[in-house]
Amino acid sequence: MSPRLLRVLGWGSAAALGLLTVAVFVLVLIPAKNAVLPTRIKYGLVFDAGSTHTSLYIYRWPAHKENGTGIVSQVEACSVSGPGISSYADDPAGAGASLKPCLDKAMQVIPAEQQRETPTYLGATAGMRLLRAQNSSKAEQVFAEVSKAIGQYPVDFRGARILTGSEEGSFGWITVNYLLQTLVKFSFAEKWEQPQDTEVLGALDLGGASTQITFQPGGPVEDRNTSVFFRLYGTNYSLYSHSYLCYGQSQALKMLLAALHQASSSAEISHPCYPRGYQENLTVAELYDSPCVHAPGSASPGLVLRVTGTGEPGACGAAVQRLFSSSCGARGPCGLNGVYQPPVRGQFLAFSGFYHNLHFLNLTGGQSLSLVNATIWQICNSSWEQVQGLFPTASRGQLRDACPASSYTLTLLLQGYKFNSTTWPNIHFVQQVANVDVGWTLGCMLSLTNIIPSEPLTEVTELPRRIWIAATVLLAIMLILTFCLLTAMCYQRSSSGYEQL
């Protein structure tokens, strides 16, 4: 091999060694930086088993929490076909079967590898409270069947139970304030922070069998039975909350009809809240099928009652008002039926039945109290034909109840919860906030994230991108030089063989 070629190879080897040394120094001396891996997402399922229907809500939140509470968002909602689970008292298996289509949908949303760790809850409200009061064994059978149905799916089922009225009201309050970012908000610094000097809102919920009011009063709550404490995002909250069983819309209208029947003392009932000319028949057993109404001892369960609407706004309002007792006695400030309630304070979000009843009459856009009164008076003064003409796509039940439901809503807010012409503008009627349904389930999920273990952010050591580029270039140079060296060695061996020959 020629001396010149050897010198070249020597310089090439030396250069390769030098470049390798430089690469090592570069990789060692240039500091690495820490990078945060994307936070793992957790999922949760909550069934809202109400008195008239059931819905399944799918939520998710980052495994890393903010001050102990998850930042929860709604992924999807699924409405269960059929009535509420309390209606399956005589067919418990049907209650469980009704949930399966929505569970199937949830399994399509949640990644398969995370389904078994997805906490799943079923909360039943006033409908099951009434069934338990009526027949506790039937209520237990319904719960057994829905638990059996949910247990067939690969989720972390944590039980079905009846929420207390206080829980239902408080969870609704959490939902309202979370969605309006009065508990925690995303700042311009791109992080979640607790808002400063922000007033929380009250929550008004009207279901089929109960109604709830929850707000932060101006002073201490004097009745401990209506006092609720929460800790969310590192802050303590002291609230007033009360739930009235039997004063949800369906049960209240049943009480109204029962009172009219007992006042008539006959099988013919004139209903001043139903449109003029409307008629329907029902039996005594159908009317008195709830613990909220008590049949007179002389009434025969099979007796057919004929109900005729008379469309009288004044008489309707008076009949609805008689459902409430306005006496506070010696207990100081009170709300519905003499129950202790501090004066309402601040802004309120009214949802569920409050929203649906007034939205049907296009009264959820901030209308004045006088306009709301006038509109309800007009609908209550209408005939059956007029109501059908005004709302051609509505169901028979919606048309029949347009007057009594809106009258009851207004009376409950004014006479029951003690709003007035001054505080009326503070009520905001909503169905959703930021495309999320307003109700107790989101608040429940947020509260439950307090007891679901948090996962810390994971940091990994990440070399800067320029180092990887430099290392790749050096590796390529070294490979080229190695190839040249091997080629030269082969050439040298070949030359030596020819010289021997």
Side-chain angles (χ1 to χ4, degrees), residues 430-472:
V430 298
Q431 180 180 19
Q432 290 188 326
V433 173
N435 296 319
V436 177
D437 296 330
V438 180
W440 65 263
T441 54
L442 175 56
C444 177
M445 193 77 258
L446 283 162
S447 181
L448 291 170
T449 63
N450 281 339
I451 59 175
I452 297 173
S454 176
E455 294 181 8
L457 292 174
T458 303
E459 290 189 347
V460 294
T461 300
E462 177 186 297
L463 293 174
R465 182 171 177 267
R466 65 180 182 275
I467 296 179
W468 290 112
I469 294 173
T472 303

Side-chain angles (χ1 to χ4, degrees), residues 330-414:
R331 301 196 64 180
C334 73
L336 176 59
N337 291 348
V339 174
Y340 164 78
Q341 177 193 301
V344 291
R345 171 179 173 268
Q347 305 292 311
F348 283 77
L349 250 60
F351 47 95
S352 299
F354 285 117
Y355 170 82
H356 292 296
N357 291 337
L358 295 189
H359 181 70
F360 186 76
L361 301 180
N362 197 28
L363 294 174
T364 54
Q367 288 84 356
S368 66
L369 180 57
S370 59
L371 179 58
V372 172
N373 262 312
T375 304
I376 293 176
W377 183 278
Q378 181 180 3
I379 198 70
C380 290
N381 197 36
S382 301
S383 68
W384 180 235
E385 290 76 15
Q386 288 173 323
V387 172
Q388 288 176 304
L390 288 171
F391 308 101
T393 61
S395 67
R396 181 179 175 88
Q398 286 178 309
L399 296 174
R400 178 198 64 193
D401 292 339
C403 166
S406 56
S407 295
Y408 177 71
T409 297
L410 188 61
T411 306
L412 175 59
L413 290 170
L414 299 181

Side-chain angles (χ1 to χ4, degrees), residues 92-165:
S98 70
L99 307 182
K100 291 185 177 182
C102 281
L103 283 165
D104 291 336
K105 186 174 184 179
M107 294 305 97
Q108 296 173 3
V109 173
I110 301 172
E113 64 274 13
Q114 289 184 254
Q115 291 174 1
R116 293 196 177 277
E117 64 181 48
T118 298
T120 302
Y121 305 85
L122 184 142
T125 53
M128 286 299 290
R129 287 179 218 142
L130 291 177
L131 178 59
R132 181 175 59 186
Q134 249 183 332
N135 192 318
S136 60
S137 63
K138 286 188 175 182
E140 290 174 2
Q141 289 172 10
V142 169
F143 273 132
E145 289 297 330
V146 298
S147 298
K148 179 181 176 182
I150 299 173
Q152 294 172 358
Y153 287 78
V155 294
D156 181 14
F157 180 49
R158 302 193 177 187
R161 69 180 183 90
I162 298 175
L163 270 65
T164 66

Side-chain angles (χ1 to χ4, degrees), residues 183-215:
L183 304 178
V184 64
K185 67 177 181 179
F186 200 66
S187 70
F188 288 109
E190 295 188 353
K191 63 179 182 178
W192 291 95
E193 296 178 348
Q194 288 179 281
Q196 301 298 319
D197 302 323
T198 301
E199 288 284 337
V200 294
L201 284 81
L204 298 164
D205 186 5
L206 176 60
S210 69
T211 179
Q212 289 74 231
I213 179 171
T214 306
F215 63 98

